[in-house]
Amino acid sequence: MIAHRAMLDVSRDLVLQVARLLGAERRRRGTPKGSRALTPFWQAVGVLRWFRGEMDIPGLGRDHGISRATGYRYVDEGIDVLADQAPDLHDALDRARADGHAYLIMDGTLMSADRCAEQTLSVKGELIDLWYSGKAHHHAGNIQALSSPGGLPLWVSDVEPGSVHDLTAARAHLLGALYKAAANGLPTLADGGYEGAGIGILTPIKNPTDGQRLSIGNRTYNRLLRGLRCLGERGFALLKTRWRTLQHITASPSKITDITRAALVLTHFEHGHLPETR
């Protein structure tokens, strides 16, 4: 066996922030001081290692001198504590208006996940695998997000199974609030997959079916919309590349919601967007 040291590429401030949240959770539960195998600081280090892509929890446990079961429990606790700090949709929209954003960008992504054997009926009445995405050709969860004009993710939805279309997921989780935001002067930009989403949701104009070209005005509109919206696609890239555990989630697909929200909170802290701890 060869021992070696490795650097955890997150700031000490982020570790201390996570440790403060974990410490507050221990106090809320009435955990006696000194009764845990790890301090909040070292538990935070383990949680952040997991989010950065070290998903071998038994291995993390060995590194920190704790059992496999304790390792899983500590990581789950870290996920829950972080996810609880994520803004809800109305808070995110209020913050966007307060920050002076002229518009928001809506996008959806598929979070790759391990197989979950659950079946449902398709719109055609056929029996299908609920979590299998025909678009991506693998099992996944559908997450919707709102991003700022600069591409910082501001809010993420609850997970829907991978077989659910983006527009269906958006209708379930955020379109109602976006209609009100648009009425108050905060429209949302989206791609063609959200066509028909409703007033205030701006999507590209499709080419005519008769083979004619769009008018110059409509082509200009589409080009401007693409130029503004493409920055929003940076939001999911920011989450997935920084917090590599999101690239393939090996936990139950039902945990995708909390894992993604926890990653959002970590991203907000690193980009100076985190509100005061609740």
Side-chain angles (χ1 to χ4, degrees), residues 175-196:
L175 288 190
L178 293 185
Y179 296 152
K180 182 179 180 182
N184 293 329
L186 186 65
T188 301
L189 312 186
D191 62 34
Y194 296 91
E195 183 183 19

Side-chain angles (χ1 to χ4, degrees), residues 128-165:
I128 62 171
D129 192 335
L130 182 63
W131 290 89
Y132 184 80
S133 168
K135 177 181 177 181
H137 304 294
H138 58 70
H139 290 81
N142 184 319
I143 290 283
Q144 301 294 301
L146 289 176
S147 296
S148 71
L152 178 69
L154 304 177
W155 171 86
V156 293
S157 72
D158 289 352
V159 68
E160 291 286 343
S163 61
V164 174
H165 189 275

Side-chain angles (χ1 to χ4, degrees), residues 54-70:
E54 296 184 53
M55 290 173 284
D56 178 13
I57 293 181
L60 286 176
R62 288 192 297 272
D63 286 351
H64 290 270
I66 57 178
S67 69
R68 174 193 180 108
T70 301

